[in-house]
């Protein structure tokens, strides 16, 4: 599936806006056929947005189960004869879609796009009714996992990750018209040959007679001048004296793929292409043959009120803030972000570690933070083969969606899973292999948890890069940065000795209450966050294999409640409203050499 775009042969109409909305706490919507019409009591709900924080009512915030969205639309008269779909950027965590009373799509997984083909269900000009049931329920077999607990106050969703379980229609919804014979997918891979760039492409066409159509591929530079052409469903384009995509300089060519029937244009789709290479060489990660050092953050899609709803204002502002502090990269912790974010990173020359939603596959963690413990991670009743299948699907959907983005240089297939047991090895070995088959051009990693240091970890040999989340000075050695420094350095030395692979510090940091100051840097103060970062950076600078530092976190973010969280996680160097803490000045000095 290609993202909705206006092209000479395609059209799209936004369905964003205020939809009718109803919670279904008693799970009666399906029995009472709410897809035909929502009963009285429906409110208006903005799309895209999480629904949890829009109304001042715990029924929305704490809801568990289906919610129902409903709207109407009309196809433009010019769309007769086209293939018509509805495209959802995401529905968290699963959805069923009905048009005019007919079920047209289901999708599992809350952070990747899907479409419903409604060609035969909605005639041009006539009003059609669109209903979507979205479920926020997490189970042992979903990615991420969770379980529902019955409490005296009602059903409660429990989960093992440290961010609020926001749900709803989080991204754009489009009505899309494409030709019936059409381009279904494009895959590009780029290379560098001396001063030249190469772009190999493969086009998948579908629909009646598509096998007989001629495929043409034209690459234009940023000024619109054609620099290479080829015909056929696959080929290699050579760009003489190419300008490469590189960190900080997101130079993009455009590959226009056309399907033709003689002289007539059947379908056309433009794809942004950045020419660059990525490879791991010893303890270095090379972009275009040059060692790259990651400076940046773990982030969340998280903003006040809209929760995980995509928002262009926050997107542009957050990138501007990251550039202002001197960041060159980030990780999509802990799930695939809206594709618009990757498009923007491509254009801004940001480097991205792209992560699946596989977070919380670790029952050793969490006691204090998430309020749950006492399970075995991998067992028939918990994370099992069905979970692994959902995880496989999540990896496939991530790579399928993001394979053409030059900004993505590394796949992270999980965050802090259990990785020190034979069961974890059996679980991850086929998943790592699958990521490589889907994309042989990028390294693969996972974010390793503190509970699995090098003498315990049993899976890191399956991966290309070590991604380490470490909390020396916070969860251990809290308030004792001297001990923290020694322990961090010793551990990084042990990783290097054992694996001789590049190390990216994908998390380190301290909860920090904005405005809390201390003469002697004590935990929770802005001074302590600065001191912890300074300590960590001293260590990183002494370990040659460390090729990156992603502070946890870019901005304070919402979590479930618990004794370890005061109005969310406070490890941001910005507050949730994007006000800087003192750490920002330290980072500007370190990353930009600012005075
Ligand atoms: C790590 C997780 C991250 C948490 C962070 C923290 O990867 O999601 O938010 O710790 O505790 O365990 O702040």
């Amino acid at each position: 599936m290609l993202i909705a775009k206006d092209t000479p042969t395609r059209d799209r109409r936004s369905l964003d806006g205020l939809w009718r909305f109803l919670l279904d706490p008693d799970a009666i919507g399906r029995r009472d056929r709410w897809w035909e019409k929502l009963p009285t009591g429906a409110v208006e709900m903005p799309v895209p947005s999480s629904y949890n924080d829009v109304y001042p009512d715990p029924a929305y915030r704490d809801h568990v189960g289906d919610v129902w969205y409903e709207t109407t639309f009309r196809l433009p008269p010019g769309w007769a004869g086209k293939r018509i779909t509805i495209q959802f950027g995401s529905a968290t965590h699963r959805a069923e879609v009905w048009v005019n009373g007919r079920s047209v799509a289901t999708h599992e997984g809350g952070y990747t796009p899907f479409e419903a083909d409604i060609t035969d269900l909605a005639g041009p000009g006539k009003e059609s009714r669109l209903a979507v049931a979205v479920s926020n329920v997490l189970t042992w077999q979903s990615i991420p996992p969770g379980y529902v607990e019955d409490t005296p106050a009602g059903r409660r969703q429990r989960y093992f990750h440290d961010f609020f379980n926001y749900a709803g229609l989080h991204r754009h919804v489009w009505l899309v018209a494409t030709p019936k014979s059409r381009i279904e997918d494009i895959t590009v891979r780029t290379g560098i040959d001396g001063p030249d760039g190469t772009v190999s492409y493969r086009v998948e066409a579908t629909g009646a007679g598509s096998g007989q159509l001629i495929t043409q591929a034209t690459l234009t530079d940023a000024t619109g001048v054609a620099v290479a052409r080829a015909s056929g469903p696959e080929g290699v384009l050579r760009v003489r004296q190419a300008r490469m995509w590189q960190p900080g300089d997101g130079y993009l060519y455009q590959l226009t793929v056309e399907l033709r029937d003689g002289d007539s244009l059947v379908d056309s789709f433009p794809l942004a292409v950045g020419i660059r290479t990525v490879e791991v060489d010893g303890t270095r990660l090379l972009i275009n043959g040059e060692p790259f050092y990651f400076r940046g953050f773990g982030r969340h899609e998280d903003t006040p009120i809209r929760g995980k709803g995509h928002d262009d204002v926050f997107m542009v502002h957050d990138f501007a803030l990251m550039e202002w502090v001197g960041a060159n990269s980030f990780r999509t912790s802990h799930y695939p972000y809206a594709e618009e974010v990757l498009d923007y990173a491509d254009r801004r020359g940001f480097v991205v570690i792209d992560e699946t939603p596989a977070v919380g596959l670790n029952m050793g963690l969490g006691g204090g933070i998430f309020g749950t413990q006492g399970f075995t991670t991998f067992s028939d009743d918990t994370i099992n083969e069905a979970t692994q299948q959902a995880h496989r699907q999540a990896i496939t959907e991530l790579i399928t969606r993001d394979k053409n983005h030059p900004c993505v240089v590394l796949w992270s297939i999980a965050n802090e899973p259990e990785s020190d047991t034979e069961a974890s090895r059996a679980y991850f070995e086929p998943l790592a292999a699958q990521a490589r088959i889907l994309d042989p051009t990028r390294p693969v990693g996972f974010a390793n948890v503190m509970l699995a240091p090098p003498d315990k970890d049993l899976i890191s040999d399956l991966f290309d890069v070590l991604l380490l989340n470490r909390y020396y000075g916070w969860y251990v050695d809290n308030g004792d940065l001297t001990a923290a420094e020694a322990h961090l350095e010793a551990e990084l030395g042990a990783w290097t000795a054992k694996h001789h692979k590049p190390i990216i510090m994908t998390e380190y940091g301290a909860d920090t209450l904005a405005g809390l100051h201390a003469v002697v840097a004590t935990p929770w103060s802005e001074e302590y966050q600065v001191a912890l970062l300074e300590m960590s950076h001293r260590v990183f600078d002494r370990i040659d294999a460390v090729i990156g530092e992603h502070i946890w976190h870019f901005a304070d973010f919402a979590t479930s409640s618990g004794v370890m969280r005061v109005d969310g996680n406070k490890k941001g160097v910005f507050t949730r409203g994007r006000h800087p803490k003192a750490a920002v000045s330290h980072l500007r000095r370190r990353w930009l050499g600012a005075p």
Side-chain angles (χ1 to χ4, degrees):
M1 180 184 94
L2 293 168
I3 197 167
K5 260 186 201 173
D6 267 328
T7 85
T9 58
R10 296 172 172 233
D11 206 351
R12 66 176 190 180
R13 235 182 209 202
S14 172
L15 293 180
D16 294 356
L18 293 177
W19 293 37
R20 285 179 294 284
F21 178 91
L22 194 57
L23 301 170
D24 186 6
D26 302 318
I28 55 172
R30 286 170 194 269
R31 186 196 71 194
D32 293 352
R33 305 172 71 87
W34 284 6
W35 60 79
E36 289 174 351
K37 188 165 184 25
L38 281 187
T40 49
V43 297
E44 295 191 48
M45 186 60 75
V47 173
S49 178
S50 298
Y51 58 77
N52 308 76
D53 290 349
V54 176
Y55 287 90
D57 182 348
Y60 289 82
R61 189 164 171 88
D62 299 338
H63 176 73
V64 181
D66 281 342
V67 299
W68 293 76
Y69 286 89
E70 181 192 76
T71 191
T72 54
F73 64 87
R74 250 175 241 282
L75 299 188
W79 286 16
K82 299 274 189 182
R83 175 180 185 256
I84 313 294
T85 56
I86 302 173
Q87 215 180 83
F88 295 83
S90 68
T92 314
H93 294 281
R94 71 188 57 73
E96 180 163 3
V97 182
W98 291 262
V99 166
N100 296 331
R102 285 265 296 279
S103 173
V104 289
T106 58
H107 184 257
E108 173 72 26
Y111 304 96
T112 39
F114 61 98
E115 66 182 1
D117 186 336
I118 60 160
T119 310
D120 302 324
L121 290 177
K126 168 174 142 282
E127 186 176 82
S128 289
R129 178 179 302 274
L130 167 61
V132 189
V134 181
S135 164
N136 66 349
V137 171
L138 297 173
T139 71
W140 287 108
Q141 276 63 58
S142 64
I143 293 291
Y147 65 95
V148 175
E149 189 178 19
D150 282 315
T151 75
R155 280 153 45 92
R156 289 288 176 269
Q157 180 69 56
R158 307 296 182 208
Y159 43 95
F160 319 105
H161 52 267
D162 184 34
F163 54 94
F164 190 79
N165 187 35
Y166 281 117
L169 295 177
H170 283 152
R171 299 176 186 166
H172 297 308
V173 184
W174 296 103
L175 200 54
V176 188
T178 55
K180 287 192 171 158
S181 294
R182 64 190 183 278
I183 302 159
E184 180 64 14
D185 195 19
I186 306 171
T187 307
V188 296
R189 286 180 184 164
T190 63
I192 297 177
D193 184 10
D196 299 346
T198 58
V199 178
S200 55
Y201 70 89
R202 187 159 45 78
V203 177
E204 218 182 284
T206 188
S210 59
Q212 273 70 60
L213 300 174
I214 308 285
T215 308
Q216 284 185 345
T218 308
L219 196 74
T220 44
D221 68 15
T223 64
V225 175
V227 293
R229 285 177 214 279
S231 52
E234 32 192 306
V236 183
L237 300 159
R238 175 170 283 270
V239 186
R240 306 265 169 221
Q241 305 284 335
R243 178 158 161 199
M244 309 309 168
W245 184 98
Q246 44 185 329
D249 179 17
Y251 187 85
L252 296 171
Y253 291 86
Q254 179 174 298
L255 180 70
T256 303
V257 175
E258 293 179 339
L259 292 184
R260 291 187 167 269
D261 184 2
D263 280 343
S264 77
L265 179 65
V266 176
D267 194 10
S268 165
F269 193 88
L271 184 76
V273 174
I275 301 176
R276 59 111 187 87
T277 59
V278 181
E279 69 201 289
V280 170
D281 178 23
T283 57
R284 298 278 166 262
L285 183 140
L286 309 179
I287 299 182
N288 303 339
E290 298 284 327
F292 179 68
Y293 193 90
F294 295 75
R295 301 186 306 260
F297 301 96
R299 299 176 60 206
H300 269 299
E301 290 186 310
D302 176 88
T303 61
I305 317 298
R306 45 178 78 59
K308 295 203 174 305
H310 175 73
D311 181 285
D312 282 341
V313 179
F314 269 100
M315 177 181 79
V316 171
H317 188 57
D318 286 354
F319 273 78
L321 291 180
M322 287 194 290
E323 288 174 6
W324 179 65
V325 296
N328 60 12
S329 56
F330 62 90
R331 173 170 62 125
T332 70
S333 42
H334 294 308
Y335 37 83
Y337 290 2
E339 194 169 353
E340 289 77 5
V341 176
L342 297 178
D343 287 336
Y344 196 63
D346 286 342
R347 296 197 293 276
R348 300 301 312 165
F350 256 79
V351 171
V352 174
I353 301 175
D354 208 2
E355 190 158 275
T356 71
V359 53
L361 285 71
N362 195 335
M363 300 308 128
L365 260 178
I369 307 179
F370 320 127
T372 48
Q373 52 193 347
F375 297 105
T376 303
T377 304
F378 299 102
S379 79
D380 287 349
D381 301 327
T382 54
I383 312 271
N384 60 20
E385 262 176 49
T387 322
Q388 190 192 36
Q389 184 50 36
H391 195 160
R392 189 174 277 133
Q393 182 67 19
I395 294 171
T396 304
E397 290 189 22
L398 172 74
I399 296 181
T400 304
R401 191 194 70 168
D402 292 350
K403 62 189 173 187
N404 294 326
H405 285 283
C407 64
V408 176
V409 303
L410 173 60
W411 305 112
S412 165
I413 67 167
N415 182 69
E416 298 196 342
E418 179 176 300
S419 56
D420 56 351
T421 53
E422 288 301 336
S424 62
R425 190 169 175 93
Y427 181 93
F428 276 104
E429 195 159 10
L431 296 183
Q434 190 211 346
R436 289 181 203 293
I437 291 168
L438 288 168
D439 181 10
T441 73
R442 290 177 179 87
V444 181
F446 76 101
N448 163 288
V449 66
M450 225 167 154
L451 299 173
D455 55 322
K456 294 210 177 101
D457 163 87
L458 292 179
I459 69 168
S460 285
D461 61 302
L462 302 170
F463 297 87
D464 305 298
V465 176
L466 303 172
L467 309 179
L468 303 182
N469 296 354
R470 287 299 177 274
Y471 286 95
Y472 290 105
W474 192 253
Y475 293 120
V476 296
D477 301 326
N478 186 283
D480 183 353
L481 293 178
T482 307
E485 184 159 354
H487 292 148
L488 175 61
E489 183 155 10
E491 190 185 336
L492 295 184
W495 279 109
T496 312
K498 180 157 180 201
H499 289 284
H500 199 67
K501 288 181 180 177
I503 297 175
I504 303 171
M505 301 305 301
T506 35
E507 289 187 25
Y508 60 105
D511 280 279
T512 304
L513 190 63
L516 180 70
H517 292 284
V519 178
V520 176
T522 40
W524 290 94
S525 67
E526 295 200 26
E527 286 74 13
Y528 189 78
Q529 186 179 36
V530 172
L532 185 143
L533 296 181
E534 282 171 347
M535 175 282 287
S536 306
H537 294 154
R538 275 197 301 276
V539 175
F540 303 162
D541 291 346
R542 293 196 291 261
I543 305 279
D544 194 51
V546 170
I547 60 147
E549 48 196 54
H550 278 177
I551 293 157
W552 193 257
H553 189 273
F554 170 68
D556 295 346
F557 58 92
T559 65
S560 58
S561 52
V563 292
M564 307 269 281
R565 295 289 174 260
V566 187
D567 187 34
N569 187 307
K570 292 280 184 274
K571 294 192 185 70
V573 303
F574 291 94
T575 64
R576 201 179 190 209
R578 277 48 175 175
H579 296 295
K581 301 180 190 173
V584 164
S585 304
H586 163 70
L587 292 179
R588 285 176 51 79
R589 276 195 299 278
R590 176 171 171 82
W591 289 348
L592 292 171

